[in-house]
Amino acid sequence: TPPMSGDFGPATVVLSSMTAGGSHVWLTNSGHYQKYVTLTVRFDRPTNRANLPQAGVTKKEIDELFDFDKVLGSDYTGEWQNCTIHPGKDAPGGCSNLVINVTNT
């Protein structure tokens, strides 16, 4: 039997968890997270990364993906992790984690 191929249409992707880590996670008086906090956003399945690059996701791009009810910080960047690799290619496939590094410049 030949393998299945083709486009099976969009699937519902669910945000399954969001965790904060780093040495100082609490909010500052300015309402921002401390410097060097890492937020990990996990989805229930690999995503298309919202057609964003795997690394170097900007604050603007992150803000367009999510509607946070608190200010994350004055600056942050993201990197997609836990990615699959397309068979026979070096290009990443879907990624299920977005790691956001808050830098607060």
Side-chain angles (χ1 to χ4, degrees), residues 15-20 33 39-42 66 68 72 100:
L15 192 154
S16 58
S17 70
M18 182 172 180
T19 56
Y33 283 99
L39 302 170
T40 302
V41 181
R42 289 182 179 86
F66 302 105
F68 296 110
L72 293 184
I100 302 169

Side-chain angles (χ1 to χ4, degrees), residues 31-33 59 70-76 102 104:
H32 296 165
Y33 283 99
K59 177 183 179 200
K70 302 274 187 214
V71 176
L72 293 184
S74 59
D75 197 22
Y76 41 90
V102 179
N104 286 334

Side-chain angles (χ1 to χ4, degrees), residues 19-98:
T19 56
S23 58
H24 303 288
V25 176
W26 60 85
L27 296 174
T28 65
N29 288 338
S30 66
H32 296 165
Y33 283 99
Q34 293 281 348
K35 284 185 177 183
Y36 312 116
V37 169
T38 300
L39 302 170
T40 302
V41 181
R42 289 182 179 86
F43 296 94
D44 68 333
R45 67 187 71 211
T47 71
N48 68 353
R49 302 184 325 270
N51 296 319
L52 296 172
Q54 186 171 351
V57 181
T58 66
K59 177 183 179 200
K60 180 178 185 248
E61 292 167 327
I62 292 167
D63 289 345
E64 290 172 356
L65 282 178
F66 302 105
D67 184 17
F68 296 110
D69 64 346
K70 302 274 187 214
V71 176
L72 293 184
S74 59
D75 197 22
Y76 41 90
T77 59
E79 177 182 346
W80 289 98
Q81 295 181 353
N82 198 26
C83 302
T84 60
I85 302 294
H86 289 297
K89 300 179 182 177
D90 290 332
C95 301
S96 57
N97 294 352
L98 176 61

